[in-house]
Structure formats: structure tokens, C-alpha cells
Amino acid sequence: MKLYRFLSADDTSAFCHKVTAALNKGWELHGSPAYAFDAAHGVMRCGQAVVKEVAGDYHPELKLGEL
């Protein structure tokens, strides 16, 4: 099955580390990154979709970050 996650965080090095960790767990980048101003918190936010092929069947209880 193909899994999908959208990673997001404030525009800091922590976001880059989050994406790097996902890549090192076998996730692949999907599409272009997103970058937007979060007016409610006054910060820039980054986002990146990632996908991964794994064995098994999908169910909503999957913990995507643990795969």
C-alpha cells in the first residue's frame, strides 16, 4: 500500500530535521514544499508531503510516523 503524510512545522532547522528523519526511514518527497505565513502565530510555516510503499492493508489506526 502507498502511505501519505504531510509534514509541517515553523520555518526552523527543526523542520529540515523532521523531513530528513522521514527520508532516512524510507519516505520519499512528493511534490513541492509549501511555505506560508501563519498570521495567528506570526511565523512562517513550512510543509512537505512524503509517501512510502509498505506491505499490508490500510486502516485508520496506522501510526504513520512509526512506519
Side-chain angles (χ1 to χ4, degrees):
M1 88 179 118
K2 183 175 259 186
L3 303 176
Y4 171 90
R5 293 174 64 196
F6 186 77
L7 307 174
S8 64
D10 292 350
D11 182 19
T12 66
S13 63
F15 174 73
C16 295
H17 288 283
K18 183 186 280 192
V19 174
T20 299
L23 294 173
N24 281 283
K25 289 182 179 178
W27 293 84
E28 296 181 11
L29 299 177
H30 181 74
S32 299
Y35 194 62
F37 182 69
D38 180 348
H41 296 98
V43 297
M44 293 301 291
R45 304 239 335 135
C46 300
Q48 175 65 58
V50 293
V51 294
K52 184 178 186 180
E53 288 280 345
V54 298
D57 296 319
Y58 172 77
H59 54 87
E61 296 80 28
L62 283 173
K63 304 282 189 222
L64 298 175
E66 297 175 4
L67 298 173

